[in-house]
Amino acid sequence: MGFAASMSSPPPPLQLSSSSSSSSSSWSKSALFSVTPVSFSPPTGKNAQYRKRLVVLSKRVSPLEEGMRIRRERELQKTVKFRKRPPLRRGRVSPRLPVPDDIPKPPYLGSNELPDISSEHQIHDSEGIVKMRAACELAARVLDNAGKLVRPSVTTNEIDKAVHQMIIDAGAYPSPLGYGGFPKSVCTSVNECMCHGIPDSRQLQDGDIINIDVTVYLNGYHGDTSKTFLCGNVNDALKRLVKVTEECLERGIALCKDGASFKKIGKRISEHAEKYGYGVVERFVGHGVGTVFHSEPLILHNRNDRPGIMVEGETFTIEPILTIGSTECITWPDNWTTLTADGSPAAQFEHTILITRTGAEILTKC
């Protein structure tokens, strides 16, 4: 996510996106409420007096209706699937780390205002693809090394320092640092933190899960990736949440190719998450990435009717967040740290991908 784009005014759960075309209303009338006559063969012989033509009106259910039904079923479940941990508390946030003057900086620095999401899809020529691969490979390598630091008693601030140093040693800039005023070089989201956690003095505890979200700016291009790591002895319920979240990302990527519909990503992710009773967070979405940190297309991870198709040479992120409990969220006064409203655990995985003629290349691999 490296700052998952946020739906600033999120639509009501599982409703048509505000960007849906006007044809959506006619679709809902013709498909959602259509009725079809179904004939049954009447009995024969001495039961012939019952010969009547039976007509049953059947209602076709849309994917959005089905999603709403599944959500209601999840909300009615009363079983506790995880051991409640002490709530996350803010630790001390250390000062912003310096970046050498000779390292190129992204254009959004110098302002604490959150940049607008660019409306342009980022489609690259051969030179741009080479630079995207380099930025994404670096981000993947940094994330892999950061994950090796995860253990009980380590602070998220120590992880931030290590990530910062790795990035500037490679001649790159840590994209989160200064983005909309964000004070650190990486996002570290622990347990019930959905995303955008600010590294601080809190020590990781045995049994925690932590998402580390790395984005680097190298030679004018951003590479963006994240992964949820296990800290010490993590219980089976959390292990399964983490595993299924990664599987959701993999399934979303698997259907990507030139000409494929973006909305299929959310459908595939939702279907897999619901098999295990998990919720899919709707507020935070994937996004185009390249010379600009965040751009169209916005990638919804839940069922949706958002229009648009993928184009060869295009790069964007897919970054689903799954929860054991509520998908609603609250944000701390720092305006970044976002937690599940009910304190239930959340997990996230993210890759930057390149659309090809026949599929998708995962760029954030090392």
Side-chain angles (χ1 to χ4, degrees), residues 171-197:
Y173 184 88
S175 302
L177 187 62
Y179 180 84
F182 192 79
K184 290 294 184 176
S185 298
V186 68
C187 295
T188 51
S189 303
V190 180
N191 295 337
E192 68 265 34
C193 184
M194 288 181 177
C195 60
H196 301 166

Side-chain angles (χ1 to χ4, degrees), residues 139-361:
R141 185 155 36 91
V142 170
L143 178 62
D144 184 63
N145 287 328
K148 295 174 183 176
L149 301 175
V150 174
R151 62 181 182 276
S153 81
V154 167
T155 67
T156 51
N157 194 55
E158 289 174 300
I159 294 173
D160 177 73
K161 285 182 177 179
V163 166
H164 182 89
Q165 193 63 46
M166 284 187 278
I167 293 173
I168 64 172
D169 283 349
Y173 184 88
S175 302
L177 187 62
Y179 180 84
F182 192 79
K184 290 294 184 176
S185 298
V186 68
C187 295
T188 51
S189 303
V190 180
N191 295 337
E192 68 265 34
C193 184
M194 288 181 177
C195 60
H196 301 166
I198 298 175
D200 59 22
S201 62
R202 180 190 181 277
Q203 292 183 329
L204 294 177
Q205 306 296 310
D206 186 56
D208 281 349
I209 58 174
I210 174 175
N211 177 272
I212 301 177
D213 193 334
V214 172
T215 312
V216 307
Y217 183 68
L218 177 67
N219 297 324
Y221 288 76
H222 297 273
D224 190 1
T225 186
S226 84
K227 180 177 181 178
T228 298
F229 297 92
L230 309 179
C231 180
N233 299 303
V234 175
N235 66 45
D236 290 341
L238 291 184
K239 284 181 180 178
R240 188 176 73 162
L241 172 67
V242 171
K243 180 176 182 291
V244 172
T245 305
E246 185 171 22
E247 290 172 352
C248 282
L249 173 60
E250 292 167 349
R251 281 161 171 73
I253 293 173
L255 56 77
C256 293
K257 65 178 180 179
D258 181 51
S261 299
F262 288 113
K263 64 184 179 182
K264 289 184 178 180
I265 296 173
K267 182 176 184 293
R268 179 71 61 86
I269 288 172
S270 295
E271 287 173 346
H272 190 61
E274 289 158 359
K275 290 178 185 177
Y276 299 87
Y278 297 141
V280 180
V281 174
E282 299 179 18
R283 178 176 173 182
F284 297 102
V285 298
H287 53 88
V289 63
T291 57
V292 179
F293 197 169
H294 296 105
S295 77
E296 291 283 353
L298 298 183
I299 309 299
L300 279 63
H301 305 110
N302 56 292
R303 286 185 177 84
N304 67 92
D305 279 334
R306 190 178 177 88
I309 60 172
M310 305 168 202
V311 177
E312 184 177 1
E314 185 172 25
T315 51
F316 55 85
T317 71
I318 303 177
E319 45 190 293
I321 302 174
L322 268 59
T323 66
I324 286 180
S326 174
T327 59
E328 301 303 314
C329 62
I330 57 173
T331 302
W332 282 356
D334 60 29
N335 292 323
W336 287 109
T337 309
T338 303
L339 285 66
T340 57
D342 62 357
S344 61
Q348 182 182 39
F349 282 81
E350 174 189 18
H351 275 308
T352 297
I353 65 172
L354 167 69
I355 297 302
T356 68
R357 183 173 58 83
T358 58
E361 177 184 345

